[in-house]
Amino acid sequence: MTKLPILLLLLLCLSSFTAGEIKKLKIRSDNRPMILFERFGFTHTGQTSISVSSVSVISTVTSPDAWRLGFFLLSEESLIQVLIELQQNPNFCVLDSNYIQRLFTFRDLSPPPNSSFDLAYPVTSPNEYSLFFANCAPESKVSMDVRTELYNLDGRVKDYLSAGLTQLPTLYFLFSLAYFGFLGVWVLVCLKNKKSVHRIHGLMALLVVMKALNLLFAAEDKHYVKVTGTAHGWDVLFYIFQSMRVVLLFTVIVLIGTGWSFLKPFLQEREKKVLMIVIPLQVLANVASVVIGETGPFIKDWVTWNQVFLIVDIICCCAIIFPIVWSIRSLRETSKTDGKAARNLAKLTLFRQFYIVVIGYLYFTRIVVFALRTISAYKYQWVAYSAEEIVSLAFYMVMFYMFRPVEKNEYFVLDDEEEEAAALALRDEEFEL
């Protein structure tokens, strides 16, 4: 029994989720010793409101002690101390710990048949807290309807976004404007060089549209959560365009990496297989993302969905690298036979640079951003989101610049005098990755 709460607390150390909107949950016959509901950054005006109804506890051993079931808040600083207590004493109940802020136990419930509770608690010490339910009664199952509100007060106005995320609506809106402006520039470039426009350039324009709309609806989603505690349906549009954007981004990277439409009008069989693997996996990853974002950590399969998302994302990131490597190797082999050294050197240079850019983008958004969210103080969580969007915008700009439609592409149009130098470079440099 003690291993479960310890694993849950360890997962809390590694997780970077932060929620705050109004949650209405139904728990049925749940025997978990600890249930994590939310994690939230409070200011000095923070409030925690919990409403519990339709409570029932069934035990196969003895009548459970009402003191052994209840809700509490746990700060980041106290997490390690509670872990130590759980490891030292297998029968220790976390509700007895001096390091938690106990809110209420089932002893405070109104008598049956009502069995309900509704009260708000001020958070006296600003910090990032996690809201837990603890069940220290052996062999007992709990059923209840729970409504939670975690918020900070700005005067008399409730702010349902965590202290470090309250800037997100403005942040996402500004970045959506940046992408709409970027789209306008891309359209002008394509119109100016109509003869050099390929199908891939149209797909790239569609990608920017999806990214801009994704950020716009993310801004609306966060705004309504911040003001009202619920997304009012904007989360549906956000998830739709996020799914379309992610699938399209991986598809565009694979197609550019293969040289489709830009260098050749067709895809080889192995390249088609990569797309057939990446696209369904990205759909699965987006389903996992929706489940994680909408349900929260209180569901029993939350850890499983997190693992699914992580594994699928890693597989997709690895898969999109292969077409770029194949293109580099193919160009390297071609350079030995077709006698166009300068042209092949330019292509190899371009694709090797694209390979480095993609690796850098994936490394930053998957590893560095996660590290920033983990180590940043709760008040500055917005910095990690800003860094992610800045790097994403830079990646889009570099990728679009490298493969822009121009009549005389500097990568492919080299004069005859450079042919001999290019041939020497191809002999001396292997372009191996």
Side-chain angles (χ1 to χ4, degrees):
M1 286 288 286
T2 57
K3 290 183 179 179
L4 288 174
I6 291 174
L7 289 173
L8 183 59
L9 291 175
L10 287 173
L11 177 64
L12 179 62
C13 293
L14 299 174
S15 62
S16 59
F17 71 94
T18 306
E21 63 265 33
I22 298 172
K23 299 277 189 182
K24 296 180 180 179
L25 321 169
K26 293 182 181 293
I27 296 176
R28 296 292 179 264
S29 300
D30 200 317
N31 62 351
R32 284 178 289 174
M34 288 180 66
I35 301 175
L36 172 60
F37 279 85
E38 295 186 58
R39 186 173 172 182
F40 193 79
F42 291 99
T43 64
H44 64 284
T45 60
Q47 296 275 338
T48 299
S49 178
I50 303 176
S51 177
V52 179
S53 60
S54 303
V55 179
S56 67
V57 182
I58 301 174
S59 178
T60 57
V61 185
T62 59
S63 179
D65 187 351
W67 285 103
R68 314 296 285 175
L69 300 100
F71 288 81
F72 67 93
L73 290 175
L74 179 64
S75 67
E76 293 293 297
E77 288 78 6
S78 303
L79 180 61
I80 301 300
Q81 297 298 330
V82 173
L83 279 172
I84 293 173
E85 289 178 329
L86 289 170
Q87 288 176 328
Q88 290 177 345
N89 184 1
N91 298 317
F92 178 76
C93 179
V94 69
L95 291 172
D96 297 327
S97 174
N98 295 322
Y99 298 101
I100 69 166
Q101 182 178 336
R102 186 167 55 236
L103 301 180
F104 79 94
T105 65
F106 280 10
R107 188 73 177 252
D108 302 313
L109 292 172
S110 60
N114 296 323
S115 299
S116 62
F117 184 89
D118 187 0
L119 196 65
Y121 300 87
V123 178
T124 56
S125 178
N127 207 333
E128 186 174 38
Y129 291 89
S130 299
L131 176 63
F132 281 95
F133 171 77
N135 178 4
C136 298
E139 304 297 327
S140 62
K141 296 181 179 181
V142 178
S143 298
M144 57 182 171
D145 295 339
V146 183
R147 184 182 187 274
T148 62
E149 286 188 48
L150 278 65
Y151 55 87
N152 296 307
L153 288 173
D154 185 6
R156 294 185 178 181
V157 178
K158 296 179 180 180
D159 185 349
Y160 289 95
L161 284 182
S162 179
L165 303 180
T166 190
Q167 303 88 351
L168 285 187
T170 302
L171 179 72
Y172 285 145
F173 180 72
L174 292 176
F175 273 103
S176 70
L177 292 180
Y179 277 98
F180 278 121
F182 181 42
L183 175 64
V185 173
W186 181 251
V187 171
L188 289 176
V189 171
C190 291
L191 291 176
K192 186 178 178 181
N193 302 278
K194 290 182 179 179
K195 295 181 180 179
S196 303
V197 172
H198 300 283
R199 286 173 291 175
I200 189 65
H201 296 128
L203 206 59
M204 292 163 74
L206 183 61
L207 171 60
V208 179
V209 172
M210 293 297 106
K211 178 65 175 178
L213 291 175
N214 178 214
L215 286 170
L216 181 62
F217 292 128
E220 287 295 321
D221 175 30
K222 295 300 181 183
H223 169 72
Y224 276 94
V225 169
K226 174 186 172 75
V227 175
T228 67
T230 57
H232 290 276
W234 288 102
D235 54 338
V236 177
L237 290 171
F238 164 69
Y239 286 121
I240 289 173
F241 283 98
Q242 176 178 261
S243 301
M244 295 173 67
R245 188 264 305 173
V246 174
V247 170
L248 199 55
L249 173 62
F250 277 80
T251 302
V252 166
I253 292 176
V254 170
L255 292 177
I256 288 179
T258 62
W260 174 80
S261 180
F262 193 67
L263 300 179
K264 58 185 181 182
F266 58 89
L267 292 175
Q268 296 179 357
E269 193 63 31
R270 64 181 180 181
E271 294 162 354
K272 292 179 181 178
K273 289 180 179 179
V274 171
L275 283 175
M276 291 173 64
I277 293 172
V278 169
I279 293 177
L281 283 178
Q282 274 303 307
V283 172
L284 177 60
N286 285 308
V287 171
S289 176
V290 172
V291 172
I292 293 168
E294 286 300 296
T295 58
F298 72 92
I299 63 170
K300 293 182 179 180
D301 297 327
W302 185 74
V303 175
T304 302
W305 281 110
N306 270 281
Q307 293 172 339
V308 169
F309 177 78
L310 179 62
I311 293 171
V312 169
D313 195 51
I314 291 173
I315 293 173
C316 289
C317 290
C318 294
I320 63 173
I321 297 300
F322 286 109
I324 308 175
V325 176
W326 294 337
S327 293
I328 292 174
R329 289 179 177 175
S330 176
L331 288 168
R332 181 66 186 171
E333 293 300 319
T334 303
S335 66
K336 299 176 181 178
T337 58
D338 66 356
K340 298 178 181 179
R343 189 176 179 86
N344 289 320
L345 176 62
K347 292 178 183 178
L348 280 167
T349 302
L350 174 64
F351 277 88
R352 187 170 67 169
Q353 290 174 350
F354 182 57
Y355 172 84
I356 294 172
V357 168
V358 171
I359 291 292
Y361 169 73
L362 294 176
Y363 177 81
F364 191 93
T365 54
R366 267 65 182 178
I367 299 176
V368 177
V369 169
F370 175 80
L372 283 174
R373 291 178 182 175
T374 304
I375 65 176
S376 297
Y378 75 98
K379 291 183 179 179
Y380 303 103
Q381 286 290 309
W382 62 272
V383 174
Y385 291 87
S386 300
E388 182 177 13
E389 293 303 330
I390 290 171
V391 169
S392 295
L393 180 59
F395 171 71
Y396 277 69
M397 293 174 69
V398 171
M399 179 173 66
F400 279 54
Y401 177 79
M402 292 174 69
F403 295 93
R404 68 195 185 280
V406 289
E407 293 184 7
K408 294 185 178 181
N409 195 308
E410 61 184 298
Y411 288 108
F412 301 132
V413 181
L414 302 175
D415 54 47
D416 295 336
E417 296 178 359
E418 296 175 300
E419 185 71 25
E420 185 176 349
L424 289 174
L426 284 172
R427 286 198 296 269
D428 296 337
E429 192 170 2
E430 292 299 321
F431 286 91
E432 293 296 336
L433 299 173

